[in-house]
Amino acid sequence: MKAVLKKEPAPGAILADVPVPRPGPSEVLVKVKATSICGTDHHIYIWNDWAKNRIKPPQIMGHEFAGEIVEIGPGVTSAKVGDYVSAETHVVCGHCVQCMLGEKHVCQNTRILGVDRDGAFAEYVVVPEENVWHNDPRIPPAIASIQEPLGNAIHTVLAGETRGKTMAIFGCGPIGLMAIGVAKSCGASFVAAIDINDYRLDIAKKMKADMVINSKSQDPVEALLEHTHGVGVDAVLEMSGASLVFGQMFKVVRAGGRVTLLGLPAKPVAVNFSDDVVMRGITIQGITGRRVWETWLIGRELLASGSLDLTPVVTHHLDLADYAKGMDLMTSGNCGKVILYPEGVSH
Amino acid sequence: MKAVLKKEPAPGAILADVPVPRPGPSEVLVKVKATSICGTDHHIYIWNDWAKNRIKPPQIMGHEFAGEIVEIGPGVTSAKVGDYVSAETHVVCGHCVQCMLGEKHVCQNTRILGVDRDGAFAEYVVVPEENVWHNDPRIPPAIASIQEPLGNAIHTVLAGETRGKTMAIFGCGPIGLMAIGVAKSCGASFVAAIDINDYRLDIAKKMKADMVINSKSQDPVEALLEHTHGVGVDAVLEMSGASLVFGQMFKVVRAGGRVTLLGLPAKPVAVNFSDDVVMRGITIQGITGRRVWETWLIGRELLASGSLDLTPVVTHHLDLADYAKGMDLMTSGNCGKVILYPEGVSH
Amino acid sequence: MKAVLKKEPAPGAILADVPVPRPGPSEVLVKVKATSICGTDHHIYIWNDWAKNRIKPPQIMGHEFAGEIVEIGPGVTSAKVGDYVSAETHVVCGHCVQCMLGEKHVCQNTRILGVDRDGAFAEYVVVPEENVWHNDPRIPPAIASIQEPLGNAIHTVLAGETRGKTMAIFGCGPIGLMAIGVAKSCGASFVAAIDINDYRLDIAKKMKADMVINSKSQDPVEALLEHTHGVGVDAVLEMSGASLVFGQMFKVVRAGGRVTLLGLPAKPVAVNFSDDVVMRGITIQGITGRRVWETWLIGRELLASGSLDLTPVVTHHLDLADYAKGMDLMTSGNCGKVILYPEGVSH
Amino acid sequence: MKAVLKKEPAPGAILADVPVPRPGPSEVLVKVKATSICGTDHHIYIWNDWAKNRIKPPQIMGHEFAGEIVEIGPGVTSAKVGDYVSAETHVVCGHCVQCMLGEKHVCQNTRILGVDRDGAFAEYVVVPEENVWHNDPRIPPAIASIQEPLGNAIHTVLAGETRGKTMAIFGCGPIGLMAIGVAKSCGASFVAAIDINDYRLDIAKKMKADMVINSKSQDPVEALLEHTHGVGVDAVLEMSGASLVFGQMFKVVRAGGRVTLLGLPAKPVAVNFSDDVVMRGITIQGITGRRVWETWLIGRELLASGSLDLTPVVTHHLDLADYAKGMDLMTSGNCGKVILYPEGVSH
């Protein structure tokens, strides 16, 4: 089969012919209909420091996908050939205290699809039965393939109250953009979107942000304090990873509010905890992964019911073979989600 | 001034000329722009058993309103002449354990506007400063006057999770209808509305119910179990007060779900607690009043932002002098909210 | 091996010689050190209506136990020979919406050890790997064997806030008695215990109840309202299943409080929902099973740390062969937990 | 009357003869039985940078107290002469969004007793009626006077789950010491106390800490990871304000756990948010003040019921005139709470 293979510990990847994998015990084999590029895939492609330390080539890239089960391994009981599925990409141990408490997203022994084992930028992918997610047939493959990052957005937005609340979302990458839609469909009365890229801010408008701020030309602190009469917003979602935002976000969150962090700053950031966190009663939440399966259920419900429309976020559809073009789009920043089709876009 | 007065302990009410009241210490005088008829007002008007035991005529009726402050009493600091306001109708003691815990809606010493003191079906009404609610200027008086019952709807809907959840609302009186809108604007993926009145079910559709069931012609248990593949919905909101619904609601709520009660059954109802509540892990919540001021803030945000549109619920606009016509509409059941205007509809 | 066998669909049980079972795939074989009698076992023994409808003899009885793993089946990875274990007795499907949401205690497809498959009143018992619970070595077998019903107590007590709260526990069977200890160790400032059996009320005192009420000689409503100056307690735990209590519990819970139900009334009970639940803002919670594994973790922590001492609840230690004597004690009501030892008490 | 007066903007304070204050409208006059020294009082006494910017001498110092109402101002309805009271020291506006949401501890317009108005280091003090707290008569004045800082401890400890949880408390000043007792009485299964002062660690043992660590001689990270088998504790309470602790606390909290901050670091602290907060799903909570009145109710219940014993924390009893000796004890660090008696210790 065709697969995008990280063959060597160096930038780039190749389109390789590899054997179709076989499902082991309690695993399933999925024929991939659509697979989407994540920022993590881009990190592996450009071979940044994180990738150098974590990835062991050769390995098939990719982890976001939707497809159809074509073979099941021994002992599989909850999935069958023909099922239309996606997958939770964190393969967890089930036995650490976090797993026992239902906090699988912080399992002590997580292994990740496309990072620690072969991934989905291929015609076929093997996933453990317990990671299989059954898609609603009303959700098309391109949208179904981005349920995994949508889950990050949902986990972040719904980490606190949204209903009748005001929010500021820093960073309009795909997850930030999806977070706008999630917040609005879950009762947020005001959502401001902040970024430095007008292409992405245009998508933010389509996702129904109530205010968009290009922080290169407008001070988000000033704009948000003016809008909230100096009080600040109920919640800040930090989805950019930019250190600069740490100097803004505590100024725009109201006393008693929350700051929810999904973005990953490259370096330690200094915070004035006394004035900005303790004295103002702020809660800071670190968010990783998705709540399994709470987050997935919410995403499926919002998508299948039509409450949430992610089509503005999906900006590019490419043949799998054009993966390099997709990676270049990611480098440029002028894209939302890029979907790759192993059978070809026009299929 | 003109006022709808419950003059005697008997059915009916009169339009009387009474002196304009004066605000006492920590009270304000409001010129009423719009006032709406509540089911409680109707109970007082028809003089049912509850009214006989509670109301001490003569008393001015009514408690839902919006208007402008025209005079303030001594010691008032948080409101001023010219403010556009409505009011929380529960006047609480502030010192019982419930008030100390922020559960003012179950204060042990509540007194109610229009029930225990003169109300708002009049050109002017006096309310305590601490009950004053500042309206958003984007909300017109008719809608602002129904924020109080909207608060009941919000309190009921938001008593549990809504985001990505499925719900069944029994009873499409005005509060049930508003609850549909609140649920949909707060992320409910599926809302079924059940009633026996097609007039009200038509409004339910306008409020964006995903399914409407006239339980005279269709079995809601069958319809909802079919829709949910036998599982049941995440939440049932009981807003009808009909005993019959108690025989249906435990069958349509999923194991682990919630049943939230706002309706008031006329008599005790027998429940199979073992099979229907304990063994299925059901939570039953009794809801009264509004969380002060959490509920009001949410309502104002949802209305002012446009996330929630209540115009389909407001079906009739009448001069205050036509209050009897409004009460007849309430008796017929073929209405949503009926708004009365002391200055006249056409003003 | 020796086993207490429900051989026929009739009252009683026999001590039989049966083959030692073998663990299948993903199962383990446990040598039982101590096993305790549950009310459910007693129902099966006396062959009440519930038992007639649910149990399919022949079947080995019992489900509460502690012991040592002596053999593991194929594919077991998280347990090994020599492990000191107990077991969650609900074998769940893992795939229904409740399981996906972490609400395994209300799984749609639960099968129960000793009810739907062979149990633990025997020298050996087979349990699924995923139901195995690793005991803390500081907890002796008799106490470890009652962690399962302790879990019911914890689930009930911790279904709401306890810290600085006042509580009334109706029913001082073993789970009610354990609930007293859990409540006191988790910050309850006042716990009243109500029963009609002085033997059990004496144990309630040892569990540190602040007030014990024999409701045959003292009115619990009067006593509790007097103690709380007419306000009522923050939480009522109904652990008796007596219909009579439903007429008392809404009078002793404060407005805004919770009523948590674990007891199973034999018949439907009529409740005045308007006055007792809706107008007073009461929450009623049905509790079944244990939160897997949250509840177990809390129990292990409380027991192993010494915060919770259950020794007063364990009143009788018998050889397994004396199971009939244990059942007679259960019938009399003059016991707490009765522990059976397959190897003999004196071992 | 005698009062400890901050007369000039310089270190120190004097014992002055000043007029007995009179209660204004909605205020009460309290005869002080016992008043305790807070770290804030010490800051004002030594005249540190914070004090220089905030305090406007002349002003009577002190804010923690217990006493008896001897006079009430006009309009007071909820308190009367003879009542045994203490006071919430934050005088809030009641009208900002935080006050409306029940988050009075982060009111935008807070004024503080003994900081922004005359305080309680005196024979008499005036407090607003709405700040009056009625003490339980079972609680003696010395203990009643420290309910206010106890409230900070309760707010911090109960900001998350404690029942069956493991905790590490950094900083054994009086609030840290009280937090140990609160945590243990509210179900924490393991509480480690960390400080650099053996005098205070000895009190920590008396408060029933399960482990005490002098971090000058023992590495708390190593000790806590060893105790928790490398997993970390469920919650860290940071009550020292030491920047050094920020380098330790993220290493000892388990993934998914909480870090609750009450201490005030003198300067900004750099945090590796990516590795230590986001990827591990950590929640950081800033805590200030007390939840009014939730926190106070819990404290009163725990103290009056005997669940919580604070006597080990109260180390010194002095005549009010010996305030300077009390301040010197605070400087030395070799004290818990220091209580001052306007009528003399021996009274």
Side-chain angles (χ1 to χ4, degrees), chain D residues 24-332:
Chain D
S26 299
E27 289 185 334
V28 305
L29 178 69
V30 179
K31 182 167 170 54
V32 178
K33 297 272 188 190
T35 179
S36 43
I37 305 178
C38 171
T40 300
D41 301 320
H42 187 249
H43 295 334
I44 296 171
Y45 184 79
I46 64 172
W47 204 240
N48 74 358
D49 287 345
W50 170 83
K52 286 174 195 167
N53 288 316
R54 179 71 176 267
I55 307 300
K56 310 281 178 238
Q59 192 169 274
I60 300 172
M61 295 177 62
H63 58 275
E64 305 172 359
F65 72 93
E68 187 181 314
I69 293 179
V70 291
E71 186 182 350
I72 63 173
V76 169
T77 59
S78 62
K80 62 182 190 305
V81 171
D83 286 357
Y84 174 38
V85 302
S86 290
E88 165 57 40
T89 57
H90 287 199
V91 182
V92 300
C93 76
H95 300 295
C96 68
V97 69
Q98 284 83 359
C99 281
M100 286 200 290
L101 287 169
E103 305 174 3
K104 295 181 182 177
H105 55 291
V106 283
C107 166
Q108 295 172 27
N109 307 297
T110 306
R111 299 180 72 249
I112 303 181
L113 199 68
V115 170
D116 301 308
R117 55 184 281 168
D118 277 336
F121 287 174
E123 292 178 71
Y124 297 90
V125 62
V126 165
V127 294
E129 174 187 12
E130 71 173 26
N131 284 56
V132 168
W133 175 249
H134 284 85
N135 292 322
D136 187 291
R138 288 173 288 181
I139 306 173
I143 298 297
S145 79
I146 61 173
Q147 287 175 100
E148 197 251 23
L150 170 63
N152 292 91
I154 292 173
H155 192 182
T156 309
V157 176
L158 271 56
E161 192 49 273
T162 56
R163 301 174 296 185
K165 301 301 176 192
T166 56
M167 309 181 88
I169 298 178
F170 285 87
C172 293
I175 298 180
L177 292 170
M178 292 192 271
I180 297 167
V182 172
K184 290 304 293 181
S185 69
C186 290
S189 58
F190 172 79
V191 175
I194 302 104
D195 203 301
I196 56 172
N197 177 324
D198 284 329
Y199 179 93
R200 293 184 159 182
L201 288 170
D202 281 343
I203 305 177
K205 284 179 203 160
K206 290 178 190 156
M207 292 306 293
K208 300 188 185 155
D210 298 288
M211 179 187 278
V212 298
I213 301 171
N214 186 321
S215 55
K216 285 200 297 191
S217 56
Q218 189 182 6
D219 179 6
V221 175
E222 200 176 297
L224 288 165
L225 289 183
E226 183 184 337
H227 179 81
T228 59
H229 309 289
V231 172
V233 295
D234 294 307
V236 167
L237 310 188
E238 205 309 286
M239 305 180 107
S240 74
S243 298
L244 187 67
V245 172
F246 280 72
Q248 301 170 330
M249 66 189 190
F250 294 114
K251 293 192 177 73
V252 302
V253 68
R254 72 164 176 83
R258 67 163 162 135
V259 169
T260 309
L261 308 177
L262 184 80
L264 295 167
K267 296 180 184 173
V269 185
V271 168
N272 183 337
F273 283 97
S274 293
D275 291 350
D276 288 347
V277 180
V278 178
M279 295 304 290
R280 300 186 72 236
I282 299 301
T283 299
I284 303 171
Q285 303 166 299
I287 301 290
T288 186
R290 293 146 296 282
R291 292 195 169 266
V292 178
W293 294 100
E294 294 90 326
T295 306
W296 283 88
L297 280 161
I298 293 168
R300 185 166 69 186
E301 285 290 322
L302 293 177
L303 289 173
S305 68
S307 298
L308 176 62
D309 178 10
L310 294 183
T311 51
V313 178
V314 179
T315 54
H316 296 81
H317 300 262
L318 302 174
D319 291 351
L320 178 64
D322 292 334
Y323 66 93
K325 189 173 163 193
M327 292 295 175
D328 290 347
L329 281 163
M330 298 286 284
T331 303
S332 78

Side-chain angles (χ1 to χ4, degrees), chain A residues 161-167 187-190 234, chain B residues 298 301, chain D residues 101:
Chain A
E161 192 50 273
T162 56
R163 303 174 294 186
K165 300 301 176 192
T166 55
M167 309 181 88
S189 58
F190 172 79
D234 294 307
Chain B
I298 293 168
E301 285 290 323
Chain D
L101 287 169

Side-chain angles (χ1 to χ4, degrees), chain A residues 124-144:
Chain A
Y124 298 91
V125 62
V126 165
V127 294
E129 174 187 13
E130 71 173 25
N131 284 56
V132 167
W133 175 249
H134 283 86
N135 292 323
D136 187 290
R138 289 172 287 181
I139 306 172
I143 298 296

Side-chain angles (χ1 to χ4, degrees), chain A residues 2 4 10 46 53 57 59 67 73 84 90-91 99 115 117 128 147 180 182 280-281 294 312 327 339:
Chain A
K2 296 287 182 197
V4 178
I46 65 172
N53 288 317
Q59 190 170 274
Y84 173 40
H90 286 200
V91 182
C99 281
V115 170
R117 53 184 283 169
Q147 287 174 99
I180 297 167
V182 172
R280 299 185 73 236
E294 294 90 326
M327 292 295 176
I339 313 290

